[in-house]
């Protein structure tokens, strides 16, 4: 039996959504999901105070009863607790798999930088809210059960990492930023103006020198600016990759949607989810 602790380092999830995820998990008898009570706290934008969110994360990471830690939801908030929480993790935390995306990439990046556990860009419990979101949640549950069919299809044996572009930009220059030299980096974004995508790439590309390449996932729900920006997402990313001599590679099947595929950081092991 694989035991998975679920906490919310950013925003909260409802008890109703958690119950739906637990119901889906019944189809995976080798998994036992446990939602930390902190997942349901609300304090303004966040799933409880910084202290409560950090403590829950450390509780889950340091508890030897669990094999994996799954972030319940993105939003914003992980950056406020990540450094202190990671510093409090003990050797037990090194044996776990950590899963999430979006703002959860803050923690995935920080943990990867310190070599703590295994990091996986993967759908989260909150994806159950999307139309057809059970497909996304099942993809992560299947992965944890050892089914590798949900892996991003372009993984080719080279080290990889996957991030929301805004999240990666905020990591750059901080102690949480991993060394991505030699990595193929996959990026995606949601709800940002095209000029903001350009601004983010200006910053990120300067920190990815030495990367083996960059793959562009889906840039979705782009707001309409008062004047056309004049460049589409691929043109923007190609421009900044060329500027810093980063190979622009084939597209990536990741994004803020139900088709978001799974990307284990480092070199993907196709034989097991653990």
């Amino acid at each position: 039996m694989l035991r998975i602790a679920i906490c919310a380092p950013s925003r909260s999830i409802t008890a109703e959504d958690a119950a739906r995820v637990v119901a889906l998990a019944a189809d995976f008898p080798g998994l036992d999901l446990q939602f930390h009570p902190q997942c349901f706290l609300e304090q303004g934008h966040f799933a409880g105070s910084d202290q409560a969110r950090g403590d829950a994360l450390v509780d889950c990471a340091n508890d030897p009863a669990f094999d994996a830690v799954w972030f319940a939801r993105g939003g914003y908030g992980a950056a406020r607790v990540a450094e202190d929480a990671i510093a409090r993790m003990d050797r037990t935390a090194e044996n776990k798999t950590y899963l999430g995306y979006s703002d959860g990439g803050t923690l995935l990046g920080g943990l990867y930088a310190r070599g703590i556990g295994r990091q996986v860009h993967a759908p989260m419990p909150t994806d159950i809210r999307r139309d057809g979101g059970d497909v996304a949640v099942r993809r992560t549950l299947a992965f944890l059960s050892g089914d590798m069919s949900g892996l991003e299809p372009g993984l080719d044996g080279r080290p990889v990492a996957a991030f929301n572009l805004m999240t990666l930009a905020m990591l750059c220059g901080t102690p949480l930023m991993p060394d991505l030299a030699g990595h193929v980096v996959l990026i995606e974004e949601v709800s940002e103006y095209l000029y903001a995508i350009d601004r983010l790439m200006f910053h990120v590309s300067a920190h990815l020198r030495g990367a083996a390449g960059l793959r562009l996932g889906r840039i979705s729900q782009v707001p309409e600016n008062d004047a056309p920006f004049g460049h589409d997402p691929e043109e923007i990313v190609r421009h900044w990759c060329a500027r810093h001599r980063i190979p622009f590679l084939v597209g990536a099947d990741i994004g803020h949607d139900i088709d978001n595929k799974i990307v284990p950081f480092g070199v993907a092991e196709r034989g097991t989810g653990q």
Side-chain angles (χ1 to χ4, degrees):
M1 178 69 70
L2 195 73
R3 300 197 67 208
I4 299 124
I6 302 172
C7 60
S10 305
R11 300 196 67 187
S12 62
I13 191 171
T14 67
E16 293 76 15
D17 287 341
R20 293 173 64 195
V21 172
V22 170
L24 286 182
D27 293 336
F28 300 86
L31 303 182
D32 176 28
L33 271 57
Q34 298 291 328
F35 280 85
H36 193 288
Q38 173 270 327
C39 290
F40 313 116
L41 298 179
E42 294 186 24
Q43 182 171 314
H45 171 90
F46 305 105
S49 66
D50 290 353
Q51 186 70 50
R53 298 196 321 282
D55 286 350
L57 174 59
V58 173
D59 287 348
C60 293
N62 289 351
D63 190 336
F66 294 107
D67 305 288
V69 179
W70 196 10
F71 307 138
R73 184 178 177 183
Y76 171 72
R80 295 176 63 96
V81 304
E83 285 189 61
D84 290 344
I86 290 173
R88 294 162 55 197
M89 292 181 184
D90 62 25
R91 299 198 63 167
T92 303
E94 298 175 4
N95 300 317
K96 290 181 170 58
T97 297
Y98 299 86
L99 308 99
Y101 73 104
S102 190
D103 195 57
T106 303
L107 288 164
L108 298 181
L111 291 164
Y112 191 56
R114 287 160 176 75
I116 298 174
R118 298 166 293 276
Q119 299 74 36
V120 183
H121 165 105
M124 296 180 291
T126 191
D127 283 305
I128 197 71
R129 296 181 176 184
R130 301 185 189 278
D131 187 16
D134 60 318
V135 172
V137 175
R138 285 181 180 275
R139 187 174 302 120
T140 299
L141 295 172
F143 172 78
L144 286 165
S145 298
D147 181 350
M148 299 294 103
S149 62
L151 287 182
E152 204 282 330
L155 304 182
D156 61 6
R158 288 182 288 180
V160 297
F163 293 96
N164 167 261
L165 180 56
M166 176 67 80
T167 301
L168 180 57
M170 297 303 101
L171 286 175
C172 290
T174 75
L176 297 172
M177 179 65 177
D179 180 2
L180 297 177
H183 286 62
V184 174
V185 181
L186 285 63
I187 58 169
E188 55 82 22
E189 190 50 86
V190 63
S191 300
E192 293 289 348
Y193 287 97
L194 290 177
Y195 70 80
I197 300 296
D198 195 75
R199 179 186 290 148
L200 292 168
M201 281 302 305
F202 155 72
H203 181 62
V204 165
S205 59
H207 290 268
L208 291 182
R209 293 177 179 138
L214 191 145
R215 295 176 56 201
L216 177 61
R218 287 177 286 282
I219 305 295
S220 58
Q221 301 177 36
V222 177
E224 185 174 348
N225 196 23
D226 58 352
F229 184 65
H231 301 280
D232 65 27
E234 181 172 327
E235 290 171 336
I236 292 168
V237 175
R238 281 185 178 274
H239 169 83
W240 290 107
C241 282
R243 179 108 178 192
H244 293 288
R245 299 181 181 178
I246 302 166
F248 182 87
L249 306 175
V250 296
D253 194 4
I254 62 171
H256 273 63
D257 52 46
I258 65 170
D259 295 320
N260 186 26
K261 297 302 190 296
I262 290 171
V263 183
F265 282 34
V267 178
E269 298 179 8
R270 291 183 175 271
T272 176
Q274 281 291 302

